[in-house]
Amino acid sequence: MQSTIQRTGVRCIALLSVFMPVAAMAQQFDVERATRAYLDLLQGPARSQSDAYFEGGYWLILWSTLVTCLAYWLVLATGFSAWLRTWATGRTRRPALATMLYALGLTLVTTIITLPWTIYTGFVREAQYGLMSQSFALWSFDQLKALVIALIVTPLAFASIYAAIRRTPRFWWAWGAGLTWGFVLLASAVLPVLIAPLFFTMSELPAGPLRERVVKMARAHEIPAEHIYVADLSRQTKRISANVSGLGPTVQITLADNLISRTSSDEVAAVMGHEMGHYVLGHVWRNAAWYAVLFLIMFLAVARVTPAIIARHPRWRIEGVYDVASAPALLLVATLVMALATPFENAIVRSAETEADAFGLDVARQPDAFALIAIRLSEYRKLEPGHFEEMLFFDHPSGETRIRRAMQWKKDHVPGATMIKPVLPSS
C-alpha cells in the first residue's frame, strides 16, 4: 500500500510540474506593467498635441455656451425677436404657421451670428490639430446641408412646443420634455437611412474574411447583418469610427473607411464587439430614459426661470412665455442648464460605454487589439487624465482606463497570459 501511495504521490508531482509553469505564467502577468507598455506608445509631441486638443475642449464647453447665449441675448435686446414675431403673425392667421415662420427666421439669424465661432471650432481648430481632411469649401457645403435639416426640423419642434404652451400653460414643460424626447428618438431612427447618406457615401463592405467575421459576430447576437456599410469618413477626418445605429427596422452596421484602412482585422473585431454591445445591452433605450429625466429637469427650470427674466425686460416687448418671441429667452436658459448638466450627461454616456467595452472584450476576445484601438483614439482624447477630470469631462472612459481593463481581462480570461512588447502599426 505504501508503494501505491508513493506512486500516486509521484504522479501528482509530475502533473503539478506540467501545470505549474502555466499557473506561474498567469501569475507573472503584471497588469500595471502591461498597461504602461501600451501607454508609452503615445509619447512626445503626439501626446502633447492630444492633451492640448482635448483639454482645449474643456474651454470650448464654456465659450460655446457663452457664444450661444450671447446670440440669443442680442436677438432679444435688439428687439429683433419681437419684430420677427410681428412679421410672422402678419403673414398668416394660423398660430402654428406663424410659429414656424418665426423659427425659420430665428434659425437663420442665430446661425449667422455664431458663424465665426462655428468656423473656428468646426474647421480651423480641427485643421490646426491635423484632424481635418476636407477643404473649407467642402466643409461649408456639409454645414449648409446641416442648416437645411435644421430649417426643416426646428419649425416643426417650435410649432409642437408652443402648441403645448398655449393649450396647457401650467404643465407645458412636461409636454415640452416629452416632445423633445420624441424628436430625439425619431432622429435616432432616421439617422442611418435618411441623414447619414447626405454626408457620406455608403457602400457595402466587400465580401471577404473581414465581412464574414463581422457577420458571424452580429448573427451570434441576433443583430441584423443583411447589409454592412462602409462610410467614407476619410473625406472629412482621420478619426476612426463604427456604429450599430438606428431603431427597429432601420438598424444597420456601419464601419468608417478609416477604421478598415488604419487598423488590423483584430482591431476591427474589437471595435465591432464594443458597438454591438450597445445594441445587445439596449443602451439606446436606457440612455433615452435618462435623457427623458434630463429633459424634464431642463424644461422645468426653463418654465420657472424664463417668466421672471421676461418680466424684468419689458423693452423686449414679449407678452409672456406663450409668445413665440420668447423663444430666445427659453433657449438661453436651456443652454445654461444643459451646460451645467454636462457632467451628468457625460456620466450617462460613459456608463454605457464602459459596459460596451466589457461586452466587446467578451465577444471579440482581443484585449491587445482593444488596447491598440484605445491608443489610436487617444490621438485626439487625453490618454491619462486625473480621476475628477475624467469624471467631469469624459463621455467615454479614458484610454488609460480602457487599456487597464483590457489587460485585467487578459489576465483573468487568457490562459497563460504573457507580457508582450506592443507595437502600434503605422497608419
Side-chain angles (χ1 to χ4, degrees), residues 320-340:
V321 173
Y322 61 88
D323 181 357
V324 71
S326 68
L330 299 176
L331 290 168
L332 190 156
V333 176
T335 299
L336 291 173
V337 172
M338 292 303 290
L340 293 173

Side-chain angles (χ1 to χ4, degrees), residues 29-36 38-39 270-271 274 353-354 356-362 364-375 397-414 417-420:
F29 185 81
D30 189 323
V31 171
E32 291 304 315
R33 280 182 56 206
T35 300
R36 177 48 56 187
Y38 277 101
L39 294 177
V271 171
H274 168 95
E353 296 296 331
T354 299
D357 283 351
F359 182 93
L361 285 167
D362 288 337
R365 303 188 67 82
Q366 296 292 335
D368 290 294
F370 187 87
L372 286 176
I373 286 293
I375 291 296
S398 68
E400 178 188 15
T401 298
R402 286 177 144 172
I403 294 169
R404 181 170 288 107
R405 288 172 179 164
M407 294 302 98
Q408 185 64 55
W409 187 96
K410 182 178 179 179
K411 180 178 181 179
D412 295 341
H413 296 86
V414 178
T418 58
M419 301 287 293
I420 67 170

Side-chain angles (χ1 to χ4, degrees), residues 7-213:
R7 286 196 300 270
T8 303
V10 170
R11 289 172 182 171
C12 288
I13 292 172
L15 287 171
L16 285 173
S17 68
V18 172
F19 288 107
M20 279 182 66
V22 176
M25 288 171 66
Q27 291 175 356
Q28 289 172 2
F29 185 81
D30 189 323
V31 171
E32 291 304 315
R33 280 182 56 206
T35 300
R36 177 48 56 187
Y38 277 101
L39 294 177
D40 288 344
L41 290 175
L42 188 65
Q43 291 295 336
R47 172 77 76 97
S48 299
Q49 178 170 293
S50 170
D51 288 353
Y53 175 79
F54 198 83
E55 289 169 357
Y58 306 160
W59 289 102
L60 288 186
I61 297 172
L62 172 62
W63 290 114
S64 293
T65 299
L66 293 177
V67 168
T68 303
C69 289
L70 176 61
Y72 292 137
W73 186 267
L74 286 173
V75 171
L76 291 165
T78 59
F80 178 80
S81 184
W83 175 87
L84 184 59
R85 179 269 326 276
T86 302
W87 175 85
T89 54
R91 294 296 179 276
T92 176
R93 295 181 179 181
R94 297 183 179 181
L97 288 179
T99 301
M100 295 173 74
L101 285 174
Y102 174 92
L104 286 172
L106 181 66
T107 301
L108 286 171
V109 168
T110 53
T111 297
I112 293 170
I113 294 173
T114 59
L115 184 58
W117 181 249
T118 301
I119 293 173
Y120 170 72
T121 58
F123 182 81
V124 175
R125 187 169 184 267
E126 294 295 300
Q128 286 176 342
Y129 284 93
L131 297 172
M132 178 62 62
S133 298
Q134 59 187 165
S135 66
F136 181 71
L138 290 175
W139 177 86
S140 299
F141 186 55
D142 281 345
Q143 297 305 303
L144 181 60
K145 287 185 283 188
L147 175 59
V148 171
I149 294 172
L151 291 174
I152 295 171
V153 175
T154 304
L156 295 174
F158 269 47
S160 301
I161 291 173
Y162 273 94
I165 292 175
R166 289 189 293 267
R167 295 177 183 177
T168 57
R170 290 186 60 187
F171 299 104
W172 71 265
W173 54 271
W175 284 99
L179 289 167
T180 302
W181 185 74
F183 273 101
V184 170
L185 284 183
L186 179 62
S188 298
V190 304
L191 175 65
V193 293
L194 294 181
I195 299 177
L198 297 175
F199 297 89
F200 307 104
T201 300
M202 312 292 282
S203 58
E204 283 280 353
L205 179 64
L210 181 60
R211 184 184 180 98
E212 291 173 3
R213 190 172 186 177

Side-chain angles (χ1 to χ4, degrees), residues 194-424:
L194 294 181
I195 299 177
L198 297 175
F199 297 89
F200 307 104
T201 300
M202 312 292 282
S203 58
E204 283 280 353
L205 179 64
L210 181 60
R211 184 184 180 98
E212 291 173 3
R213 190 172 186 177
V214 174
V215 169
K216 184 178 179 180
M217 293 172 65
R219 288 179 176 169
H221 296 91
E222 300 181 350
I223 300 173
E226 289 79 12
H227 299 283
I228 299 178
Y229 293 100
V230 178
D232 61 339
L233 185 65
S234 61
R235 78 175 188 85
Q236 294 183 351
T237 179
K238 64 180 290 187
R239 301 170 192 256
I240 59 176
S241 179
N243 60 69
V244 179
S245 57
L247 294 173
T250 68
V251 170
Q252 70 180 41
I253 298 172
T254 306
L255 290 74
D257 58 350
N258 285 339
L259 178 65
I260 298 172
S261 64
R262 297 187 61 201
T263 67
S264 67
S265 175
D266 286 345
E267 289 175 80
V268 173
V271 171
M272 292 313 304
H274 168 95
E275 296 300 332
M276 291 177 186
H278 287 307
Y279 178 87
V280 175
L281 299 174
H283 286 157
V284 170
W285 296 106
R286 191 184 74 179
N287 287 359
W290 278 113
Y291 273 101
V293 174
L294 182 58
F295 289 153
L296 276 172
I297 295 172
M298 180 192 73
F299 271 88
L300 180 59
V302 169
R304 295 291 182 267
V305 174
T306 307
I309 295 176
I310 292 173
R312 289 176 61 88
H313 296 86
R315 294 181 61 183
W316 291 353
R317 291 176 287 134
I318 298 174
E319 298 174 6
V321 173
Y322 61 88
D323 181 357
V324 71
S326 68
L330 299 176
L331 290 168
L332 190 156
V333 176
T335 299
L336 291 173
V337 172
M338 292 303 290
L340 293 173
T342 297
F344 175 69
E345 187 176 2
N346 286 344
I348 294 172
V349 179
R350 192 171 60 248
S351 173
E353 296 296 331
T354 299
E355 292 181 0
D357 283 351
F359 182 93
L361 285 167
D362 288 337
V363 170
R365 303 188 67 82
Q366 296 292 335
D368 290 294
F370 187 87
L372 286 176
I373 286 293
I375 291 296
R376 294 188 191 279
L377 292 173
S378 295
E379 293 172 355
Y380 44 87
R381 295 178 185 171
K382 189 173 183 179
L383 185 57
E384 297 184 77
H387 174 71
F388 289 105
E389 184 180 11
E390 184 169 357
M391 184 176 66
L392 291 174
F393 296 110
F394 280 64
D395 61 358
H396 286 61
S398 68
E400 178 188 15
T401 298
R402 286 177 144 172
I403 294 169
R404 181 170 288 107
R405 288 172 179 164
M407 294 302 98
Q408 185 64 55
W409 187 96
K410 182 178 179 179
K411 180 178 181 179
D412 295 341
H413 296 86
V414 178
T418 58
M419 301 287 293
I420 67 170
K421 184 177 181 180
V423 177
L424 188 66

